[in-house]
Amino acid sequence: MHLGDMSTLSPTARVILGLLRAGASTGYEIKTTVEQATRFFWGASYGQIYPELRRLQGAGLVEALPDAETARRKVAYRLTEAGEQALHEWLTSGEPPEFQYRDEGLLKLFFGGLLSPAEVLDNVRASRREAEADLAFFRANLAPRARAGAAEEGRYPSLALEYGIAFLEFMARWYRRLERTLEAEAAEGAAGPERAEGVSGEPSRDA
Amino acid sequence: MHLGDMSTLSPTARVILGLLRAGASTGYEIKTTVEQATRFFWGASYGQIYPELRRLQGAGLVEALPDAETARRKVAYRLTEAGEQALHEWLTSGEPPEFQYRDEGLLKLFFGGLLSPAEVLDNVRASRREAEADLAFFRANLAPRARAGAAEEGRYPSLALEYGIAFLEFMARWYRRLERTLEAEAAEGAAGPERAEGVSGEPSRDA
DNA sequence: TATAGCATGTAATTAGTTACATGATTAA
DNA sequence: TTAATCATGTAACTAATTACATGCTATA
C-alpha cells in the first residue's frame, strides 16, 4: 500500500491534496475542478478519487469535516498539518518532473509506410482536426473561466492553461503543415512524377 | 478478454502488430524498437509485450515461425492474414486518434500559488532542463538512427521523430520564456515593487 | 574470462477507466 | 414535475510498471 509510509504520494493523491488545499472540499468538487482546469495535463476519475480520499484520510493527510447543517449527504475534506507538509514536500522535491505523452495519431503516422498516400493524408487530417477541436474547446470553455477566476486563484492556473493552448496550437500547426505538404505531393503525383520535398524542407527519400 | 472478438486491438497490440509488420520479429526486438523509435509517443514494457504476443497468437492474428537453425531460444513471430487485416483496419478506422498528456511539471506550476516565487522558479527551471535534456537525447541518439534508417523504413518514422523534436523544442522554449519572465519579476521585486507583466504580454493579476 | 547484449518470461503491484447504482436538491 | 446538477460510491475490468529470474552468445 503506497501510503503506509506517507512519504510517497500516488499520482492521484497529488492532485487531490493540491486541489483540496486550493479550495476544493468534496470528491465531487475535485472531479469537476479536474474537468475544468487540469484534465488536459492531469486527469482523475471518481473511481480513483473517492478511494484515494479515504486512503489519504487513513494516512492522516486529510480529515473529514463534521457534516454540520446540510441534510444532503456530503463529505467535506481538509488537509491536516501532515497533509500540508506532504504536499509542500512534493511541490519542492526538486525531482525532475515526469511527463508522459501518448499519441495514437502519431503512431499511425509512424506506420504510414503500410498505407497509401491518400490514407496517410486522411489520418493526418484527422489528427489536425482533433487538435483544432480541442483548441476550440479550450478557448470557448476553459479560457473564460480561467480569466474570471484569476483574481482569487492567482495567475498560475491561467498560466498552465496558456501552456495547454500554446501546445495545441503547436500541434495543429504542425499537422496543418504536414497536410499541405502531402496534398502538394498528391497533386504533383497526379500531374506527373516530380521531385517531392519533406515537410521540413529537407530532401525526402521515398520508400 | 479483449481479443475474444478480434475486432478491437488493445493499445499495446497496435504497436506490436505494426512493428511486426514493419520488420521486427521477436518480443525483444519489439521492445528495442519501441525504445529507439516510438517510446516518446508510445511505450511498451516486457511485462506487456510477451503476454500480448501470446494473446495475439491465440486470437490468430500472429503466428510463431518454426525455430529452425538457431540453438538460442528465440521465438520469431509474423502477422497472419487476419493480423494483417486487423492492423489495416485500425490504421484506416478513421476514428479520431486519442492523445493523452500528463505533465507533473505543469501540475506543479498550476499549484504555484502554494509556493514562493523562488520555489516556482525552481520548478520552472527543472521543467525547462528536462525538456532540454530530452531534446539533446533525441538529437544525439534518435535522429541519426532515423536518418540512417530512412532508406529502408521510409519517411514516416523520421517524420514522427521530427514531430517529437519540434514538440520538445516548443516545450523548452515555452518554459524558457516563463523562466525569464519570472526572473525579471524577481529582480524587480528585489529592487522595488513595480508593475509585472504576464508571460504572454497580457496584463497579469497578482494573487 | 568477463561483460555487454540477446532473449524470454512471470509475479506482484499500481494505476486507471467504465459502467453502474443510488439518492437529494434546485431551478425551469 | 421534470431535468440538471450535486453528491457518493463500488465492481469489474483493463492497462501498465517494476522487479525479478534465467540463460545463451559474441566480443574485447
Side-chain angles (χ1 to χ4, degrees):
Chain A
M1 188 168 294
H2 68 266
L3 274 183
D5 60 350
M6 167 198 131
S7 66
T8 34
L9 260 26
S10 78
T12 298
R14 307 204 253 253
V15 223
I16 292 181
L17 254 31
L19 291 181
L20 240 31
R21 179 57 224 264
S25 74
T26 68
Y28 184 81
E29 220 176 326
I30 287 169
K31 172 67 167 145
T32 46
T33 309
V34 161
E35 234 47 59
Q36 287 161 19
T38 76
R39 111 186 176 300
F40 164 61
F41 56 90
W42 211 273
S45 62
Y46 288 125
Q48 296 167 263
I49 293 171
Y50 286 112
E52 185 66 44
L53 233 18
R54 262 164 299 135
R55 268 193 295 272
L56 288 168
Q57 189 179 21
L61 303 187
V62 134
E63 62 190 353
L65 303 182
D67 202 333
E69 59 272 42
T70 30
R72 181 187 249 153
R73 172 158 153 264
K74 174 173 165 167
V75 192
Y77 292 91
R78 178 216 301 172
L79 292 199
T80 61
E81 247 326 300
E84 204 89 46
Q85 209 181 301
L87 174 62
H88 193 265
E89 242 162 61
W90 164 61
L91 283 169
T92 58
S93 68
E95 268 152 48
E98 319 224 315
F99 86 95
Q100 208 196 62
Y101 181 59
R102 280 207 147 194
D103 189 327
E104 205 188 335
L106 214 50
L107 190 61
K108 287 185 178 181
L109 179 64
F110 182 86
F111 290 132
L114 311 176
L115 296 175
S116 73
E119 286 169 328
V120 171
L121 186 51
D122 282 346
N123 285 341
V124 169
R125 282 205 179 103
S127 289
R128 189 256 307 154
R129 262 198 303 270
E130 260 296 284
E132 282 174 353
D134 285 355
L135 191 53
F137 179 84
F138 267 45
R139 291 213 245 245
N141 301 88
L142 271 36
R145 206 185 299 270
R147 299 257 158 267
E152 323 97 60
E153 289 151 26
R155 66 195 298 202
Y156 297 107
S158 342
L159 227 35
L161 177 70
E162 260 179 53
Y163 176 95
I165 289 179
F167 172 39
L168 287 172
E169 275 168 352
F170 154 79
M171 204 173 160
R173 203 162 44 234
W174 196 88
Y175 276 114
R176 215 141 46 213
R177 209 169 132 70
L178 176 58
E179 199 179 331
R180 280 198 297 263
T181 304
L182 297 178
E183 278 167 354
E185 286 177 16
E188 271 177 44
E194 272 138 66
R195 294 261 23 89
E197 291 295 317
V199 75
S200 302
E202 287 148 294
S204 74
R205 319 121 193 94
D206 299 300
Chain B
M1 191 168 291
H2 68 265
L3 274 182
D5 60 351
M6 166 198 133
S7 66
T8 34
L9 260 26
S10 77
T12 298
R14 307 204 253 253
V15 224
I16 291 181
L17 253 32
L19 291 181
L20 241 31
R21 177 60 224 264
S25 74
T26 68
Y28 184 81
E29 220 177 324
I30 287 170
K31 171 67 167 147
T32 46
T33 310
V34 161
E35 233 48 60
Q36 287 161 19
T38 76
R39 111 186 176 299
F40 164 61
F41 56 91
W42 212 274
S45 61
Y46 288 126
Q48 295 166 262
I49 293 171
Y50 286 112
E52 185 66 44
L53 234 18
R54 261 164 300 136
R55 269 194 295 272
L56 289 168
Q57 189 179 21
L61 303 187
V62 134
E63 62 190 353
L65 303 182
D67 202 335
E69 61 272 39
T70 29
R72 180 187 248 153
R73 172 157 153 265
K74 173 171 164 168
V75 193
Y77 292 92
R78 176 215 302 172
L79 292 199
T80 61
E81 247 325 299
E84 204 89 48
Q85 209 180 300
L87 174 62
H88 194 265
E89 243 162 61
W90 164 60
L91 283 170
T92 58
S93 68
E95 268 152 46
E98 318 225 314
F99 87 93
Q100 209 197 60
Y101 182 58
R102 282 208 146 194
D103 189 327
E104 205 188 334
L106 214 50
L107 190 61
K108 286 183 178 182
L109 179 63
F110 182 85
F111 290 133
L114 310 176
L115 295 175
S116 72
E119 286 169 328
V120 171
L121 186 50
D122 281 346
N123 285 341
V124 169
R125 282 205 179 103
S127 289
R128 189 256 306 152
R129 261 197 304 268
E130 260 297 284
E132 282 174 353
D134 285 355
L135 190 52
F137 179 84
F138 269 44
R139 291 212 245 246
N141 302 88
L142 271 37
R145 205 185 301 268
R147 300 256 157 267
E152 324 97 61
E153 290 150 27
R155 66 195 297 202
Y156 298 107
S158 343
L159 227 35
L161 177 70
E162 260 180 52
Y163 176 95
I165 289 178
F167 172 38
L168 288 172
E169 276 168 352
F170 155 79
M171 205 172 159
R173 204 162 44 234
W174 196 89
Y175 276 115
R176 215 142 45 211
R177 210 168 130 70
L178 176 58
E179 200 179 330
R180 280 198 297 263
T181 305
L182 297 178
E183 278 167 354
E185 285 178 17
E188 271 178 44
E194 272 138 66
R195 294 261 22 91
E197 292 295 318
V199 75
S200 301
E202 287 149 293
S204 74
R205 319 123 192 92
D206 300 301

